[in-house]
């Protein structure tokens, strides 16, 4: 019996030792030390998440075909090809039929030509507003995964309804709704992908999503050509893909462990990390747990934080949005402007889509060892200079496209695509988890604002192509200059809260505000 008290005391000491050996770590540390910065589990996760970028691309760029002005020809007798607006409508016809595009079906030419740009502008306006809504939902209530699900389902519904539009005004309203719906796909997929890997792989992993965006871009001519005589059929086909993804693929995607942790759901976050570690052939020690980032050092709940609650964060997001406005204007504007190059639209779209591939490849390689700020500014400057050079060749083909202009435009678009990709990665790293999705959504808003104005410039380009290229070039260079006032983030940790980030950045470079000025 004398042994029992010893046994009890020993057991008590063991328990006390076990409690004292408990080790709380951040999600960032657990990924780096126990899960692995990038393994099979993360690659599979990123692959499944990134597929959704295909539908984001398709729904964004579909108007290149559905809202294009098709070729026309005279009926029987000879007529002046430059005098369409003065001819009797019975003297000419659309080559692909009057159902081949919205312009052909609703006669959006001559005095109605500026109506043709309204649906595309409203689409990007819807994306602008939707980005804020989806970013807020993803950071607060739904999380990243459920927001992607909601976005995909509503994108599918609105795309199908668009195919039933009876006139240009209903069509424009439905394009606005479609833009609002799809805006949650890109921002949530990017954050959901980058929040599960180590800091050294964030840039490369972020590029994978843009590769799938390119796949969607490349698929457009292939899907559009068989249904080229009916723009309505193209919308119906495009509505199927996000629905299939939502039902068959998305259920196998995990929620972001960083978001779960910041919401106080550390047990769920740990289960996700344990699942990833097992797939990577690693083990998280049983005494390791996730530190709750919502609890302060004094044991009190973390106060609710807003992106606008601190001066440094407000200034930083304003700078990012200024740069994003120019990038969005150029990136989407150059794509929509392909009809003003006087080449076959299927051919020029395919060329631009192919240029996205080297952009993704270059971004993946350079993001591994190059500062984000330098890479973004250099690509923005190259895009701007290329657009300015395109003005030299505008109108010199005399009705036929200029190969020199097409080549320079392709290089410029590649650079614009690279800057578009890099600024997303940059934004992810500039802000902490509790406002990261909202920050990316604010960037997305500025991108979409630029994109919403771009169709108007494309319409002006039909009258004078040099004007559109000049404006594209000037804004791209402006975006490259603006980022000089942002801090560098390569290999920096992903912080969980604004308070934590401010404290850490004050320790390293004096203050976040000093970082903005340390250029």
């Amino acid at each position: 019996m004398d042994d029992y008290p010893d046994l009890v005391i020993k057991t008590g000491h063991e328990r006390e030792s076990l409690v004292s050996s408990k080790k709380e770590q951040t999600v960032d540390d657990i990924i780096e030390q126990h899960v692995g910065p990038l393994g099979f589990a993360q690659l599979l996760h990123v692959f499944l998440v990134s597929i959704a970028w295909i539908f984001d691309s398709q729904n964004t760029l579909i108007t290149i075909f559905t809202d294009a002005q098709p070729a026309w020809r005279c009926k029987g007798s000879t007529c002046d090809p430059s005098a369409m607006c003065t001819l009797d409508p019975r003297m000419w016809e659309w080559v692909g039929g009057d159902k081949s595009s919205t312009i052909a079906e609703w006669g959006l030419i001559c005095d109605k030509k500026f109506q043709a740009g309204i649906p595309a502008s409203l689409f990007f306006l819807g994306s602008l507003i939707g980005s804020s809504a989806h970013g807020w939902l993803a950071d607060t209530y739904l999380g990243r995964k459920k927001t992607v699900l909601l976005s995909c389902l509503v994108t599918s519904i609105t795309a199908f309804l668009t195919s039933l539009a009876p006139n240009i005004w209903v069509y424009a309203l439905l394009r606005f709704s479609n833009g609002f719906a799809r805006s949650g796909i890109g921002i949530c997929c990017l954050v959901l992908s980058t929040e599960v890997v180590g800091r050294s792989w964030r840039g490369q992993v972020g590029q994978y999503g843009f590769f799938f965006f390119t796949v969607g871009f490349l698929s457009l001519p292939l899907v559009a050509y068989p249904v080229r005589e009916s723009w309505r059929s193209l919308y119906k086909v495009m509505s199927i893909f996000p629905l299939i993804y939502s039902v068959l693929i998305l259920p196998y995607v995990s929620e972001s462990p960083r978001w779960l942790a910041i919401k106080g759901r550390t047990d769920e976050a740990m289960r996700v990390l344990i699942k990833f570690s097992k797939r990577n052939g690693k083990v998280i020690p049983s005494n390791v747990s996730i530190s709750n980032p919502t609890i302060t050092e004094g044991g009190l709940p973390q106060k609710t934080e807003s992106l606008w609650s601190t001066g440094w964060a407000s200034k930083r997001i304003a700078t990012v949005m200024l740069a994003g406005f120019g990038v969005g204007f150029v990136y989407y504007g150059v794509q929509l402007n392909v009809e003003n190059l006087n080449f076959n639209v299927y051919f020029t779209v395919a060329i631009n889509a192919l240029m996205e591939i080297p952009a993704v490849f270059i971004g993946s390689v350079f993001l591994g060892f190059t500062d984000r700020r330098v890479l973004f500014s250099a690509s923005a400057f190259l895009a701007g200079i290329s657009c300015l050079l395109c003005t030299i060749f505008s109108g010199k083909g005399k009705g036929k496209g200029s190969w020199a202009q097409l080549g320079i435009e392709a290089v410029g678009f590649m650079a614009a695509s690279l800057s578009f990709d890099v600024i997303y990665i940059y934004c992810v790293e500039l802000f902490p988890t509790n406002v990261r999705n909202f920050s990316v959504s604010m960037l997305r808003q500025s991108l979409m604002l630029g994109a919403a104005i771009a169709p108007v410039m494309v319409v002006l380009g039909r009258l004078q192509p040099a004007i559109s290229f000049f404006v594209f070039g000037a804004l791209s260079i402006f975006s490259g200059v603006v980022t000089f006032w942002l801090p560098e983030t390569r290999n920096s940790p992903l912080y969980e809260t604004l308070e934590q980030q401010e404290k850490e950045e004050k320790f390293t470079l004096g203050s976040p505000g000093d970082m903005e000025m340390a250029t």
Side-chain angles (χ1 to χ4, degrees):
M1 291 295 292
D2 292 339
D3 292 337
Y4 285 101
D6 293 337
L7 179 61
V8 172
I9 294 172
K10 184 178 180 182
T11 305
H13 282 305
E14 286 180 346
R15 288 176 179 173
E16 184 178 343
S17 175
L18 181 62
V19 171
S20 63
S21 66
K22 283 285 185 181
K23 186 177 182 182
E24 287 194 347
Q25 291 185 297
T26 65
V27 173
D28 211 36
D29 290 338
I30 293 175
I31 290 175
E32 294 285 352
Q33 298 175 21
H34 307 299
V35 176
L38 183 68
F40 172 77
Q42 289 109 317
L43 286 173
L44 178 62
H45 174 86
V46 171
F47 172 76
L48 295 178
V49 169
S50 299
I51 292 174
W53 280 91
I54 296 176
F55 327 127
D56 188 28
S57 175
Q58 290 173 338
N59 282 272
T60 300
L61 304 173
I62 191 173
T63 52
I64 293 176
F65 298 104
T66 60
D67 296 5
Q69 181 168 317
W72 63 282
R73 62 192 170 200
C74 299
K75 291 182 180 178
S77 59
T78 304
C79 60
D80 183 358
S82 64
M84 172 195 283
C85 296
T86 62
L87 295 175
D88 187 320
R90 293 171 296 182
M91 295 179 63
W92 62 274
E93 63 182 358
W94 298 108
V95 173
D98 60 4
K99 303 295 183 183
S100 59
S101 79
T102 57
I103 290 180
E105 180 168 341
W106 294 319
L108 306 180
I109 55 175
C110 303
D111 59 331
K112 295 182 180 180
K113 60 178 176 292
F114 283 101
Q115 292 182 17
I118 293 176
S121 292
L122 285 180
F123 172 85
F124 290 118
L125 182 61
S127 297
L128 185 156
I129 299 172
S131 293
S132 179
H134 286 109
W136 177 75
L137 284 173
D139 277 339
T140 52
Y141 296 107
L142 295 184
R144 285 67 161 123
K145 178 181 175 179
K146 289 181 180 179
T147 304
V148 172
L149 174 62
L150 175 66
S151 190
C152 284
L153 289 175
V154 181
T155 295
S156 176
I157 294 170
T158 53
F160 180 80
L161 292 176
T162 303
S163 70
L164 308 177
N167 55 58
I168 182 63
W169 305 112
V170 175
Y171 175 73
L173 179 61
L174 288 168
R175 285 299 290 161
F176 173 89
S177 303
N178 188 246
F180 184 97
R182 56 71 67 167
S183 62
I185 297 177
I187 55 176
C188 293
C189 287
L190 176 64
V191 174
L192 193 53
S193 295
T194 54
E195 286 189 338
V196 299
V197 300
R199 65 187 65 174
S200 61
W201 288 99
R202 289 197 302 262
Q204 294 90 325
V205 164
Q207 289 291 300
Y208 298 158
F210 300 124
F211 172 78
F212 281 90
F213 189 93
T214 303
V215 171
F217 194 2
L218 279 169
S219 70
L220 264 177
L222 301 177
V223 178
Y225 189 76
V227 293
R228 59 190 177 278
E229 295 184 355
S230 173
W231 65 268
R232 296 179 185 275
S233 297
L234 182 56
Y235 274 108
K236 290 175 181 175
V237 172
M238 291 302 178
S239 70
I240 297 173
F241 301 134
L243 180 61
I244 294 175
Y245 174 81
S246 300
V247 175
L248 299 182
I249 298 178
L250 195 55
Y252 297 98
V253 172
S254 300
E255 181 56 87
S256 165
R258 293 182 188 274
W259 180 80
L260 291 171
I262 202 68
K263 303 308 289 185
R265 296 157 61 178
T266 53
D267 290 341
E268 294 177 60
M270 181 57 79
R271 284 197 290 270
V272 173
L273 293 173
I274 290 174
K275 180 174 68 173
F276 281 1
S277 66
K278 287 181 179 179
R279 288 178 179 174
N280 286 346
K282 296 179 178 293
V283 176
I284 299 177
S286 58
N287 67 322
V288 171
S289 62
I290 298 175
S291 58
N292 192 335
T294 62
I295 303 298
T296 63
E297 294 180 359
L300 299 175
Q302 181 77 44
K303 63 180 180 180
T304 302
E305 294 184 314
S306 165
L307 185 63
W308 316 112
S309 62
T310 54
W312 66 268
S314 301
K315 293 176 183 177
R316 189 174 293 184
I317 192 62
T319 306
V320 170
M321 291 177 70
L322 275 175
F325 173 79
V327 170
F329 188 89
V330 176
Y331 178 74
Y332 288 109
V334 170
Q335 292 180 74
L336 298 174
N337 199 50
V338 294
E339 64 179 84
N340 293 327
L341 297 175
N342 292 322
F343 283 93
N344 179 276
V345 67
Y346 293 93
F347 173 72
T348 49
V349 168
I351 291 294
N352 276 352
L354 287 171
M355 295 308 290
E356 293 248 31
I357 296 177
V360 172
F361 177 76
I362 292 171
S364 298
V365 173
F366 278 79
L367 280 168
F369 61 88
T370 306
D371 288 352
R372 276 65 164 132
R373 184 172 54 193
V374 172
L375 184 58
F376 173 80
S377 295
S379 57
F381 289 153
L382 178 58
I385 293 170
S386 298
C387 288
L388 293 178
L389 289 175
C390 280
T391 62
I392 300 174
F393 300 95
S394 295
K396 295 200 173 177
K398 295 181 179 179
K400 295 183 179 179
S402 167
W403 287 98
Q405 186 186 43
L406 178 62
I408 296 172
E409 185 270 351
V411 172
F413 177 71
M414 180 192 71
S417 177
L418 177 58
S419 63
F420 185 89
D421 297 351
V422 172
I423 198 171
Y424 265 116
I425 306 299
Y426 201 6
C427 186
V428 166
E429 297 177 341
L430 282 168
F431 299 94
T433 300
N434 65 338
V435 295
R436 184 170 297 124
N437 233 102
F438 185 72
S439 301
V440 176
S441 74
M442 294 300 291
L443 168 63
R444 185 67 169 258
Q445 285 189 62
S446 65
L447 290 165
M448 293 305 103
L449 180 59
I453 301 173
V456 178
M457 191 57 59
V458 172
V459 173
L460 289 174
R462 293 170 186 167
L463 304 175
Q464 182 51 261
I467 295 177
S468 57
F469 279 116
F470 178 81
V471 177
F472 291 148
L475 275 176
S476 186
I477 293 174
F478 167 78
S479 294
V481 172
V482 166
T483 52
F484 289 167
W485 282 269
L486 288 173
E488 183 48 52
T489 59
R490 182 166 66 95
N491 290 334
S492 64
L494 288 183
Y495 300 104
E496 306 301 344
T497 66
L498 285 165
E499 183 177 341
Q500 178 196 15
Q501 183 162 348
E502 183 174 12
K503 185 183 299 183
E504 293 293 331
E505 290 184 355
K506 278 183 178 179
F507 178 76
T508 55
L509 283 178
S511 73
D514 292 338
M515 294 185 70
E516 260 85 88
M517 297 306 296
T519 56

